[in-house]
Amino acid sequence: MDAGLGRGGRREIVGIADASIGYGSITFVDEPGLLAVLRELLPEHRLYSRAELEAPIDITEPRWKDHYDVQCWRPDFIGEVLFNCWD
């Protein structure tokens, strides 16, 4: 997945989560109206759907093999990699 580069070379990513987020758990949701508005307001940002954020991650793939946090925390899906509380 290509999140694109924002200002200063940072990746600018957006996902929508359920209002109640607890430590170690996050529930992503699809809000079509909100996503449409965000796409208009933030055209340079990468917006992820619930399906994309909940897609399983294979931590043995070369892309994740040397990623310290992925190897340490062993997330189950891509949303846990992008939006986490590991730090």
Side-chain angles (χ1 to χ4, degrees):
M1 282 187 251
D2 180 18
L5 294 179
R7 286 165 280 158
R10 279 193 347 233
R11 293 188 181 276
E12 304 286 353
I13 51 178
V14 176
I16 301 173
D18 188 48
S20 57
I21 298 173
Y23 179 79
S25 68
I26 186 168
T27 303
F28 296 103
V29 296
D30 279 329
E31 294 289 339
L34 180 55
L35 283 171
V37 169
L38 289 172
R39 280 190 182 96
E40 266 188 53
L41 295 174
L42 307 169
E44 71 281 0
H45 288 62
R46 172 65 164 91
L47 305 178
Y48 285 90
S49 69
R50 178 181 182 178
E52 290 173 305
L53 292 167
E54 292 180 347
I57 181 174
D58 178 359
I59 64 171
T60 63
E61 287 181 2
R63 137 183 217 184
W64 303 114
K65 188 177 168 191
D66 295 323
H67 191 288
Y68 174 80
D69 284 332
V70 169
Q71 293 303 313
C72 179
W73 295 100
R74 307 183 81 68
D76 294 319
F77 49 90
I78 193 70
E80 288 180 316
V81 175
L82 299 174
F83 304 99
N84 63 69
C85 52
W86 300 331
D87 296 331

